[in-house]
Every structure is written in C-alpha cells, then in structure tokens.
Amino acid sequence: MFLTPRLFRILLSVILLLCGGYVYGSLFIIGQVAVAVLVVLILADALLLYRTHGIAATRRCAERFSNGDDNSVHLRVDSRYPFLVSLTVIDEIPAIFQRRDIRFTCTLKQGEGKDISYTLLPTQRGLFDFGRIRIFASTRLCLLQRRFSCAEPQTIKVYPSYLMLHHYELLAMSNNLTEMGIKKIRRIGHQTEFEQIKEYVKGDDYRTINWKASARKHELMVNVFQDERSQPIYSLIDKGRVMQHAFRGMTLLDYAINASLVLSYVAMRKEDKAGLVTFSDAFDTFVPASRQTGQMQTLLENLYKQETTFGETDFSALCVHLGKHLSKRSLLILYTNFDSVGSMNRQLPYLQQLARRHRLLVVFFEDVELKAYAEQPATDTESYYRRVIAQKTAYEKRLIVSTLKQQGIYSLLIAPDQLSVGVINKYLELKA
C-alpha cells in the first residue's frame, strides 16, 4: 500500500484545522470531524482496491534485439475492477539503457484494456535482463495506491544489426538500393566462369563462337558464360584496443560487426560463400565460408558476444592461422583502424603477405569529429595549432590509403555510419 500526494495534502489541511483549534474552538471540532471522515474514506478506498486482484499485464518483445536499431516493446494492461481506475505503469528495463522515462499513466474503465508501446535502442551487444512490470492503481478517491507486479523477468539477447538485413532485402525488392547509395556497377567484358555450349542464334556475340564445337556439329556453336559464383568472402574483424573508439554511442567494433553481417547477407544473395574471422592478441573465432541454410544464424551467434580487448593486435598470428585454414584464394575484408602511418607500417609486412595469397580489402575509419573540427576557422593562436594538428591527422589517414594502394592492397577509408553501404559498394566493385 502506498500513500498518494493527495492524501498528504488532505492530512496537512486537517492538521492545520486542529492546530487552529487553539485559537478558535470551532476549528478543532471541524478538524475532528475531518479526521473521522478521512479515516472512513481511507478504509473505503482500501476496501475497493484490495477486495480483488484487479490488474493484469503482459510484455511482448522479440527474444533478440538488433544492436543500433529501434526495437519495439509492447505492454498490455487489463483491468478487472468494476469501476474506473487510474494507473501508473513502469516497466523495469535493463539498466544498460539508462532511461528514466519508461513510465506511463492511463485510466481504465470496467473490464477495459490498453496497449502501450515504446522503443529501445541498444548500443551494446550481449545478454540483458528485463524485470517486472510495476503498476500502481488508484480509485477516484486517489488516497491510496496498490502496487501490482506483473509479467515475469525476461532475458533478451542483443545481436548485431539483423534488422538492417531485412531493410536491404526490402530495398532490393523495391529497386530502391540506389537511393541508399548502393551503386550499380557496370560490368566490362565477359565473365570467366563457363556454363554451357549452345547453338548460335541471331544476336549472340560472334566473339563467343566455339569453332571446334562448330566444326563437329557443322553449325555455329557459342560458349555461354555466367557470373563467377561461390567465391569465399571472409570478414576479418580486429578486436584490439584500436576498435574501442566510440562514435554516436557505439564502438567501431559494433559498426564493423554490423557491416560484416550485412555484407555476408549480400554475398550469399550473390551466391558467394560468407565466412568470419575475429582476432586480437591471438586468433579467436573462425567460421568457414559457406552459403548453406543456417549460415547467417551461425554468424549471428558468433558475433553477438564479441568484445574488444586492451591488448595490441597480433597480425602475425592472423597470417599463420589463415595460412592453415584457407587453401583457396578468397576475398578478405579486414576491419581495423590505423591512427597514423607508423601504426600502419608496423603491420604492412603482414598485410602484404595476406595480399599475395588472397585479394585483400583493408577497411579503416575516418574520424568524423576530428575532420569537422579541422574545417572550423581558427579564432586564436591555440585554436590555430589545434586545427593544424587535426589537419595533419586527417592527412595521415589519406596517406595510409595512398601507401596501401602503392603496395597493391585495396583500402577503404570511411565514416563509421556509412560503413555498411561503403563496404557493399566496394564488394560489388571488386566482384565486377
């Protein structure tokens, strides 16, 4: 049982009446009557609230949330009281969200129910616990409140952004990918994967004529080629300390995981095989490239618990283990971050080793806030020096791209919030 602010205001008024009785005797008598009436009203209010279990509530939400996306939570509140009640509904959300506004007020008539919806935006992956739904009910008198604890505690998994997968699928169905920045890549020349030999028909390219088959058949035959398929695509995700930098509430590791998941989805739609490698100071997770049913779920299960470490990334261990696990030439998309040319040069021999055996794309991140600061005009000597340092750092990022290009290594310098679209465009470009 909880006392309401209205009751405290009434009690204060009664106390003032009783105190006024020391000056005017009639006020003391009025105060005594008010006390008796108040006691009766409190008893009546308690009887109305506690004579039946009048409130029921349930929570409906997905068993897994999508990291970096709005996830809906639905509450259903039903009243079994035979009169109108006022409710305050509080859902005990996981503490990681740090929100204090999940508090709703409503009134329900006899036998009425109401649906309440809100959204949560997680910025971390892992397991998070919901508590109970706490409902405080009061009658028209609003002197007392009864608390109801409804719904059972619930544990949800926050996965990498799988909602983005459905978003891209719907865009593809409606041909709106170009509006999202996904570029159409023009294919030049012929595909190299042979499919079949067929009879020549008007309109076929004469350059595809198979003269040996034509001699045997005594009629023109042409070769038919198709897009190269079933190429292994591996996402290599660095979990070292350089991936702990945060941008808009999410770490660079989270952006890399979301982008790798979307890329794997697109690659499998393109009939390529998608795989996963995570590493830090040691080789960690390895998921062989595949396009079988259930591969996306396997990637999700391996990605949602990944965390950064505070150690230095060991690229030598990555080269050794990839040499053992990958026998076929593959497209390796490495998600990491280089703050300076010096940090890149320390890892350059290992990148060159990977590029000799595979096609390597190095993806690292542009510091958007530093770039915006460098573009601001200087107002004094100190801000001028700060601006020069910021410009020097941004220049080093571009210099890294140039250095990697000179070594025959593909690279992509991109802002974290544009990562998914940028990586997909680069994949389509390399595949073309």
Side-chain angles (χ1 to χ4, degrees):
M1 181 184 296
F2 296 85
L3 307 182
T4 65
R6 174 183 289 184
L7 178 58
F8 284 109
R9 288 194 294 268
I10 295 175
L11 284 175
L12 179 61
S13 301
V14 172
I15 290 172
L16 292 176
L17 285 175
L18 294 175
C19 293
Y22 288 99
V23 181
Y24 302 101
S26 58
L27 292 180
F28 186 77
I29 298 174
I30 295 174
Q32 288 180 318
V33 173
V35 169
V37 172
L38 182 60
V39 170
V40 172
L41 291 177
I42 291 175
L43 293 175
D45 204 12
L47 180 63
L48 291 173
L49 284 175
Y50 284 89
R51 69 176 180 178
T52 182
H53 189 82
I55 299 295
T58 56
R59 179 195 301 114
R60 290 184 297 106
C61 65
E63 294 182 357
R64 59 186 188 182
F65 278 10
S66 178
N67 189 28
D69 298 314
D70 286 323
N71 299 266
S72 299
V73 181
H74 304 280
L75 307 180
R76 174 69 181 183
V77 183
D78 294 288
S79 173
R80 302 189 184 119
Y81 282 115
F83 48 83
L84 182 114
V85 289
S86 299
L87 305 179
T88 299
V89 182
I90 301 174
D91 193 10
E92 295 180 343
I93 63 173
I96 193 69
F97 292 105
Q98 290 296 302
R99 288 184 57 179
R100 301 293 182 267
D101 59 343
I102 310 300
R103 178 188 180 98
F104 309 95
T105 58
C106 61
T107 57
L108 295 181
K109 299 178 182 178
Q110 177 181 353
E112 187 182 7
K114 179 167 288 189
D115 293 312
I116 300 173
S117 299
Y118 64 93
T119 59
L120 294 174
L121 185 112
T123 56
Q124 296 183 26
R125 290 162 287 104
L127 296 174
F128 301 121
D129 297 319
F130 278 91
R132 310 291 293 273
I133 301 177
R134 309 293 183 179
I135 301 178
F136 297 86
S138 58
T139 65
R140 289 181 181 272
L141 295 175
C142 198
L143 300 177
L144 303 176
Q145 283 184 330
R146 180 181 177 183
R147 189 182 73 173
F148 295 89
S149 298
C150 306
E152 294 298 324
Q154 181 179 1
T155 299
I156 54 106
K157 296 179 179 180
V158 177
Y159 277 45
S161 183
Y162 64 87
L163 291 181
M164 195 182 301
L165 306 183
H166 304 299
H167 181 58
Y168 277 96
E169 183 177 16
L170 292 174
L171 286 173
M173 292 172 61
S174 61
N175 296 320
N176 287 332
L177 285 175
T178 305
E179 298 178 6
M180 287 293 296
I182 307 296
K183 297 183 289 188
K184 295 181 179 180
I185 304 299
R186 180 185 178 188
R187 297 182 180 274
I188 301 176
H190 300 283
Q191 305 306 313
T192 59
E193 187 170 337
F194 176 78
E195 182 178 12
Q196 63 176 342
I197 300 175
K198 73 177 186 70
E199 297 178 359
Y200 176 86
V201 296
K202 186 177 180 180
D204 285 339
D205 191 344
Y206 65 88
R207 290 173 296 180
T208 62
I209 294 176
N210 188 319
W211 296 107
K212 291 183 179 180
S214 300
R216 288 195 301 268
K217 289 284 188 177
H218 303 289
E219 59 179 329
L220 289 178
M221 306 293 291
V222 294
N223 295 328
V224 178
F225 297 91
Q226 64 178 1
D227 289 345
E228 295 182 3
R229 299 178 179 178
S230 299
Q231 296 174 328
I233 313 294
Y234 280 92
S235 297
L236 314 182
I237 301 179
D238 183 358
K239 300 196 304 177
R241 56 182 176 82
V242 296
M243 300 294 281
Q244 288 185 343
H245 296 286
F247 178 76
R248 295 180 181 175
M250 292 173 57
T251 63
L252 298 184
L253 176 65
D254 288 316
Y255 284 104
I257 286 176
N258 290 347
S260 66
L261 195 63
V262 174
L263 176 66
S264 299
Y265 183 80
V266 172
M268 292 171 66
R269 290 283 178 172
K270 290 285 187 180
E271 300 189 14
D272 285 334
K273 298 177 181 179
L276 172 69
V277 173
T278 64
F279 66 101
S280 54
D281 53 352
F283 193 80
D284 187 14
T285 305
F286 177 76
V287 178
S290 173
R291 57 182 300 267
Q292 296 180 354
T293 304
Q295 179 72 356
M296 288 304 302
Q297 183 62 31
T298 302
L299 295 177
L300 276 170
E301 292 294 338
N302 280 275
L303 283 173
Y304 91 96
K305 286 186 177 180
Q306 300 290 343
E307 298 293 341
T308 55
T309 63
F310 291 95
E312 186 73 21
T313 304
D314 188 357
F315 279 82
S316 62
L318 174 66
C319 293
V320 171
H321 284 82
L322 287 183
K324 295 179 180 178
H325 289 93
L326 302 185
S327 58
K328 184 178 179 181
R329 183 174 175 84
S330 308
L331 172 60
L332 307 182
I333 300 178
L334 172 62
Y335 299 89
T336 185
N337 197 31
F338 297 122
D339 292 325
S340 64
V341 176
S343 63
M344 185 274 299
N345 286 332
R346 288 196 298 269
Q347 312 300 346
L348 186 58
Y350 306 112
L351 299 180
Q352 291 172 328
Q353 182 178 342
L354 291 175
R356 281 194 294 268
R357 299 191 58 186
H358 306 277
R359 176 168 290 188
L360 176 63
L361 170 63
V362 178
V363 180
F364 60 107
F365 299 91
E366 185 177 33
D367 194 329
V368 179
E369 296 174 349
L370 188 66
K371 182 181 178 181
Y373 181 81
E375 293 174 352
Q376 294 178 357
T379 57
D380 51 26
T381 304
E382 182 180 356
S383 63
Y384 175 80
Y385 281 111
R386 290 179 180 271
R387 184 168 173 264
V388 170
I389 293 173
Q391 289 177 341
K392 179 179 180 295
T393 304
Y395 169 75
E396 285 202 359
K397 291 276 189 177
R398 298 192 298 271
L399 186 59
I400 292 173
V401 174
S402 176
T403 305
L404 291 174
K405 184 178 180 180
Q406 292 174 2
Q407 300 297 326
I409 300 173
Y410 296 97
S411 61
L412 178 62
L413 174 62
I414 194 167
D417 56 344
Q418 300 174 1
L419 181 61
S420 297
V421 172
V423 169
I424 293 174
N425 283 332
K426 199 68 176 180
Y427 161 72
L428 295 176
E429 179 184 335
L430 294 175
K431 190 172 176 62

